């Protein structure tokens, strides 16, 4: 497997940027123009739902390709894979949680009926920090997506590196699969209520 060309990398970066912006714009229209009558409209899925699936698909392809290339060219192993995933996720997650806490705390004092401030608890903060299935911390609603991605990363790493350390991989597959399905159940429960 040869490395991706600079042109191909630029294409995938632009595609992911476009999909991410489609999610933001779609949610913005929903927020400002109030079309949240259900998860899917009656005739077609929301554009942001299609963009999220597209983003997951493209990211999954790139991560899979990266993991295989690291194994082939750099002798990559599960330690390198998980350190890479940890550093990519937590360099933004931890500062975002702190930022959301400060902003939500400020607004909870300014707005008397600040509903989203109900989840500003230490327990929710640490569950979100560990990406465990839970309610989003304060106004940090998009974290549900990161929770899915994180546990799929764990599951995927277990599958890819199964031959190198089958005990560790079996644990990753079990824990990753459990929390991925747990998130699915939690999301479905929230939609029904």
């Amino acid at each position: 497997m040869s490395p991706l060309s600079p042109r191909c990398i630029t294409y995938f970066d632009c595609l992911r940027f476009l999909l991410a912006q489609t999610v933001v714009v779609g949610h913005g229209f929903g927020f400002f123009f109030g079309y949240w009558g259900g998860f899917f409209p009656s005739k077609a899925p929301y554009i942001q739902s299609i963009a999220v699936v597209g983003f997951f698909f493209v990211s999954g392809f790139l991560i899979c390709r990266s993991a295989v290339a690291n194994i082939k060219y750099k002798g990559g192993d599960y330690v390198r894979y998980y350190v890479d995933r940890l550093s990519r996720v937590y360099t933004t997650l931890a500062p975002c949680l702190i930022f959301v806490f400060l902003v939500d705390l400020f607004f909870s004092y300014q707005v008397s009926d600040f509903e989203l401030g109900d989840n500003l608890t230490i327990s929710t903060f640490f569950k979100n920090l560990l990406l465990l299935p839970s309610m989003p911390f304060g106004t940090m609603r998009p974290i549900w997506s990161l929770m899915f991605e994180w546990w799929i990363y764990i599951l995927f790493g277990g599958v890819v590196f199964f031959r190198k350390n089958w005990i560790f991989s079996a644990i990753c597959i079990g824990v990753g699969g459990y929390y991925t399905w747990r998130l699915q159940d939690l999301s479905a429960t929230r939609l029904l209520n």
Side-chain angles (χ1 to χ4, degrees), residues 32-186:
F32 290 108
F33 298 114
Y35 63 84
W36 299 115
F39 188 68
F40 287 105
S42 60
K43 296 192 177 19
Y46 290 131
I47 190 70
Q48 64 267 24
S49 299
I50 295 168
V52 165
V53 171
F55 188 87
F56 274 26
F57 182 77
V58 171
S59 294
F61 167 76
L62 292 173
I63 289 167
C64 181
R65 185 170 172 80
S66 171
V68 170
N70 279 337
I71 292 168
K72 185 173 183 180
Y73 295 113
K74 299 177 185 173
D77 60 359
Y78 58 91
V79 173
R80 178 178 284 178
Y81 171 78
Y82 287 116
V83 167
D84 182 49
R85 295 296 104 206
L86 278 165
S87 62
R88 290 178 67 109
V89 169
Y90 280 94
T91 53
T92 54
L93 176 61
C96 284
L97 281 168
I98 293 167
F99 177 76
V100 165
F101 171 72
L102 294 173
V103 170
D104 286 358
L105 188 63
F106 172 77
F107 279 105
S108 69
Y109 289 117
Q110 303 300 319
V111 179
S112 60
D113 60 344
F114 186 63
E115 296 174 16
L116 298 175
D118 293 344
N119 292 327
L120 285 175
T121 65
I122 297 291
S123 171
T124 307
F125 178 86
F126 281 107
K127 285 180 182 175
N128 281 216
L129 184 64
L130 297 172
L131 295 167
L132 297 173
S134 62
M135 291 300 292
F137 181 69
T139 56
M140 198 164 169
R141 295 298 182 241
I143 198 166
W144 73 266
S145 171
L146 185 59
M147 287 178 187
F148 267 117
E149 290 172 36
W150 176 253
W151 293 108
I152 291 171
Y153 288 159
I154 301 295
L155 176 71
F156 175 74
V159 171
V160 169
F161 298 106
F162 195 78
R163 291 186 308 170
K164 292 196 177 213
N165 185 334
W166 68 270
I167 294 172
F168 182 76
S169 293
I171 292 169
C172 290
I173 292 168
V175 171
Y178 172 77
Y179 281 118
T180 300
W181 300 127
R182 178 85 174 95
L183 275 163
Q184 184 69 28
D185 291 343
L186 189 63

